[in-house]
């Protein structure tokens, strides 16, 4: 396996004369088909969500995992360093288009794997460019439903001055406070690897941590606490083979979103994981890696695991 990091510079929406985004990304593997891994919101980045997944795929695939603008090591140049424009799914689809073009991946079919916010961006891109997407994997994905549990709370805190920075700073004070915060997202924070918790803490205490996600909350959650982006009505038109993975105990986006998407998509496979919350690739890295690889090799015709079989009957 070979790997490393890279940087590409894009202009959002292809507009000349505007601030530019320097997208940092992880790269691994030298052969096989390309797979692009798209992380979620909060203080996530390519390594936080995909560290194990990159290693699991790199022997047989060319793996790319970018940091979204305002996350990880991606920065905005030609401005004040803050994320530019509205932080909407439409904008992330545009950023993804630029990333694929700059890395040469727009010239061949690519598999997109996205978690949470990244799942919605992957799905939005696939709906716009289905001919360029070989396969699609959506993990605890945003964009598959309207009503968000706790949506009004998230919307409200995004408009309270200082709440974002103070919240993330408190989260990163110690391993204990980090696990306490993660307990609101995962099924069992005590079971998380110490290295992951430490990496999460490091991102949480960085200046400006969560700023891009705060902007995303303001743009994507309505005053009623609903999701602005919901692709449910478009799913029946998408013929791309799609894997849906969801933690049964996800407190952010309910597993019923993925169940319904599975029923609507013409060519899909559903995997529900018991005793698992929102951060599937880090809560259940081995199982997730095995099921993703099986999907990449066998498509949607392979038999689902026992967790999924239990879940689809609900």
């Amino acid at each position: 396996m070979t790997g490393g990091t890279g940087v590409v510079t894009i202009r959002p929406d292809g507009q000349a004369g505007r601030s530019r985004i320097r997208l940092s990304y992880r790269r691994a593997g030298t052969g096989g088909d390309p797979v692009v891994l798209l992380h979620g919101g909060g203080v996530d980045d390519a390594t936080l969500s995909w560290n194990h997944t990159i290693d699991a795929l790199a022997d047989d695939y060319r793996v790319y995992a970018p940091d979204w603008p305002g996350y990880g090591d991606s920065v905005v140049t030609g401005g004040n360093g803050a994320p530019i424009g509205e932080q909407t799914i439409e904008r992330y689809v545009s950023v993804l288009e630029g990333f694929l073009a700059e890395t040469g991946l727009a010239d061949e079919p690519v598999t997109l794997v996205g978690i949470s916010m990244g799942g919605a961006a992957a799905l939005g891109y696939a709906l716009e460019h289905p001919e360029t997407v070989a396969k699609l994997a959506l993990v605890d994905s945003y964009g598959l439903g309207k009503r968000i549990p706790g949506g009004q709370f998230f919307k409200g805190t995004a408009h309270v001055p200082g709440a974002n920075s103070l919240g993330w700073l408190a989260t990163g004070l110690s391993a204990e406070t980090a696990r306490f915060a993660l307990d609101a997202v995962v099924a069992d924070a005590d079971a998380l690897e110490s290295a992951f918790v430490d990496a999460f803490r490091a991102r949480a205490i960085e200046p400006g941590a969560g700023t891009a996600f705060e902007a995303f909350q303001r743009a994507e959650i309505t005053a009623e606490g609903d999701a602005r982006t919901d692709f449910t009505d478009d799913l029946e038109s998408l013929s791309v083979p799609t894997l849906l993975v969801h933690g049964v105990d996800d407190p952010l986006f309910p597993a019923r979103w993925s169940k319904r998407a599975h029923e609507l998509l013409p060519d899909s496979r559903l995997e529900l994981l018991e005793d698992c919350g929102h951060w599937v690739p880090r809560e259940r890295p081995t199982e997730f890696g095995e099921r993703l690889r099986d999907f990449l090799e066998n498509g949607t015709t392979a038999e689902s695991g026992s967790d999924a079989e239990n879940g689809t009957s609900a």
Side-chain angles (χ1 to χ4, degrees):
M1 179 185 74
T2 61
T5 60
V7 175
V8 293
T9 301
I10 66 172
R11 288 185 172 87
D13 306 319
Q15 297 177 0
R18 299 285 298 276
S19 297
R20 295 171 295 170
I21 299 172
R22 295 180 65 250
L23 284 183
S24 174
Y25 65 96
R26 286 190 60 182
R27 171 79 168 85
T30 58
D33 298 327
V35 178
V36 176
L37 307 173
L38 304 170
H39 70 75
V43 293
D44 199 4
D45 62 30
T47 298
L48 279 175
S49 271
W50 303 119
N51 191 54
H52 293 296
T53 307
I54 292 170
D55 290 341
L57 298 180
D59 285 343
D60 299 297
Y61 298 92
R62 288 175 287 139
V63 186
Y64 297 78
D67 292 333
W68 289 117
Y71 292 84
D73 297 323
S74 290
V75 297
V76 176
T77 61
N80 61 3
I84 58 176
E86 280 195 322
Q87 299 301 292
T88 61
I89 293 302
E90 289 96 333
R91 173 54 61 96
Y92 288 122
V93 170
S94 175
V95 170
L96 177 57
E97 289 174 342
F99 175 75
L100 296 177
E102 289 298 321
T103 53
L105 297 175
D107 300 327
E108 58 182 314
V110 63
T111 291
L112 301 177
V113 183
I115 183 171
S116 193
M117 181 184 77
L123 177 55
Y125 180 88
L127 287 166
E128 291 186 18
H129 310 281
E131 71 285 352
T132 69
V133 179
K135 291 185 175 71
L136 178 68
L138 307 177
V139 186
D140 292 71
S141 185
Y142 176 67
L144 297 178
K146 191 169 187 66
R147 181 68 62 181
I148 301 175
Q152 287 185 313
F153 170 78
F154 294 130
K155 180 72 171 183
T157 56
H159 287 275
V160 177
N164 171 73
S165 56
L166 287 175
W168 288 115
L169 183 61
T171 293
L173 286 176
S174 68
E176 290 73 21
T177 58
R179 288 186 188 272
F180 180 79
L182 286 165
D183 206 43
V185 179
V186 304
D188 184 3
D190 290 337
L192 295 171
E193 298 169 309
S194 295
F196 169 63
V197 175
D198 290 342
F200 174 76
R201 285 182 59 204
R203 286 301 189 193
I205 62 176
E206 288 183 349
T211 301
F213 185 59
E214 184 181 67
F216 178 81
Q217 289 174 289
R218 290 197 300 267
E220 282 286 337
I221 302 178
T222 69
E224 294 75 26
D226 294 336
R228 177 177 177 267
T229 297
D230 180 6
F231 292 118
T232 301
D233 292 341
D234 302 316
L235 296 179
E236 291 180 329
S237 67
L238 184 64
S239 60
V240 174
T242 302
L243 172 68
L244 297 148
V245 182
H246 217 112
V248 171
D249 299 319
D250 185 347
L252 301 183
F253 305 139
R256 66 175 179 272
W257 284 12
S258 288
K259 294 180 185 179
R260 179 176 57 201
H262 174 54
E263 295 171 354
L264 293 172
L265 286 161
D267 187 8
S268 69
R269 171 180 171 182
L270 176 65
E271 299 278 3
L272 300 181
L273 299 183
E274 302 283 351
D275 302 317
C276 186
H278 186 69
W279 224 327
V280 172
R282 297 311 299 250
E283 293 182 71
R284 305 279 283 276
T286 301
E287 289 177 70
F288 175 73
E290 290 173 350
R291 297 185 187 197
L292 178 59
R293 281 188 64 94
D294 188 64
F295 168 69
L296 295 177
E297 294 167 5
N298 301 305
T300 59
T301 59
E303 292 185 4
S304 298
S306 58
D307 282 358
E309 291 173 349
N310 292 336
T312 53
S313 63

